[in-house]
Amino acid sequence: MLRILLPIMPAGLAAPLVRTTVDGGLEPTTDHRLDPVNERTVAWAVERRQADDAVALTAIAIGGAEADVALRAAQARGVPELERIDPGAGTLDVVAVARLIAAAARRLGDVAVVALGDESFGGSSGTVPAALAALLGWPLVARARTADLSRDGIVARRVAEDGGRERLSAALPVVLSLSDGGIAPRAPRLAAVIASRGAQVTVRPPASQPDDGPLSRWPTAPLVVEPVPARTVAPRIVPQDEGATAIASLLADADRVLAA
């Protein structure tokens, strides 16, 4: 079994509902949704599960009851197992969040991939994936636009700093961060949204990093990064009566190049 662990979080609505109290004041905003960044990690994981029944999915959120909104949104999109970690009274900085996620991964025991967005909608630090990979001693496949998963490992593609394309490959387990531009989230069906309102969320007490000793040893050659050669297309001149067919063929070729 390949388990994908999906750390998710709630985000405030872009246009929250405004409510007034009996004395005419404004109530604090309590309306939340699934973080848009997590929508693409959930979409990627659900696609993997649809392609392979042996892939298991678990979504976890750190926080109070407001996080249940995000968890139930994940279930409406196809994630069956939901857990919420009560963080207690401690400060939730990057290290604390990474430790709680790492503890959840070690407790589950069979996690092959921890999939996160490259940065959250609210915090936007972009440092949690790296901190988590360091705590677990797993390779970090960062800023991937797409990723293919198999029992042999993971192969991802991303845009390089110079604007070119890179292919990243690593053996499992890995920490994966997905960036925008490669995965299109889909809105859940209304029936799934309604059914998710009664979803059972397992609430766990504050967890601590179970291993305070040296970090796990990195595997041999944990991550391979290869540049993808740019493709050049020679100009084509086609007769006027074949223009529509030629354009359709060129668009299909472009799609294949982007997917490579």
Side-chain angles (χ1 to χ4, degrees):
M1 175 181 294
L2 297 178
R3 183 176 300 277
I4 301 174
L5 181 61
L6 295 160
I8 62 175
M9 63 184 299
L13 293 178
L17 300 178
V18 177
R19 299 185 177 89
T20 58
T21 61
V22 292
D23 60 0
L26 296 179
E27 288 186 354
T29 301
T30 57
D31 300 294
H32 294 87
R33 57 171 291 187
L34 177 65
D35 188 322
V37 174
N38 297 143
E39 290 182 359
R40 62 174 175 260
T41 60
V42 168
W44 175 82
V46 170
E47 287 181 3
R48 306 285 82 71
R49 186 168 188 260
Q50 290 173 343
D52 187 348
D53 292 339
V55 173
L57 306 182
T58 301
I60 62 168
I62 301 168
E66 73 281 356
D68 290 351
V69 174
L71 289 167
R72 292 191 172 105
Q75 187 181 72
R77 288 165 169 77
V79 180
E81 300 178 21
L82 312 176
E83 291 190 5
R84 173 163 58 86
I85 300 173
D86 180 354
T91 301
L92 283 180
D93 57 14
V94 169
V95 175
V97 170
R99 284 185 178 274
L100 291 171
I101 298 172
R106 286 175 170 156
R107 171 173 47 79
L108 289 167
D110 59 352
V111 174
V113 180
V114 182
L116 309 95
D118 55 347
E119 60 181 10
S120 64
F121 185 74
S124 299
S125 72
T127 55
V128 172
L132 178 60
L135 285 170
L136 290 172
W138 295 359
L140 171 62
V141 179
R143 299 182 294 103
R145 298 185 67 182
T146 62
D148 297 324
L149 178 66
S150 71
R151 283 158 181 77
D152 296 328
I154 196 166
V155 177
R157 295 168 179 82
R158 72 181 180 192
V159 177
E161 293 184 1
D162 61 0
R165 298 181 183 277
E166 292 178 334
R167 182 182 295 108
L168 300 88
S169 57
L172 304 177
V174 301
V175 175
L176 170 69
S177 74
L178 293 165
S179 64
D180 195 10
I183 299 168
R186 297 181 181 180
R189 295 177 301 168
L190 179 58
V193 173
I194 295 173
S196 70
R197 292 174 181 171
Q200 180 67 35
V201 176
T202 301
V203 180
R204 299 189 180 277
S208 61
Q209 178 67 21
D211 180 13
D212 292 328
L215 299 180
S216 302
R217 293 180 61 85
W218 288 79
T220 303
L223 180 65
V224 177
V225 181
E226 302 172 293
V228 177
R231 296 186 181 183
T232 57
V233 179
R236 289 179 57 188
I237 299 177
V238 298
Q240 185 174 359
D241 58 350
E242 298 178 10
T245 302
I247 290 173
S249 176
L250 289 172
L251 290 174
D253 290 342
D255 287 340
R256 285 193 290 270
V257 170
L258 291 175

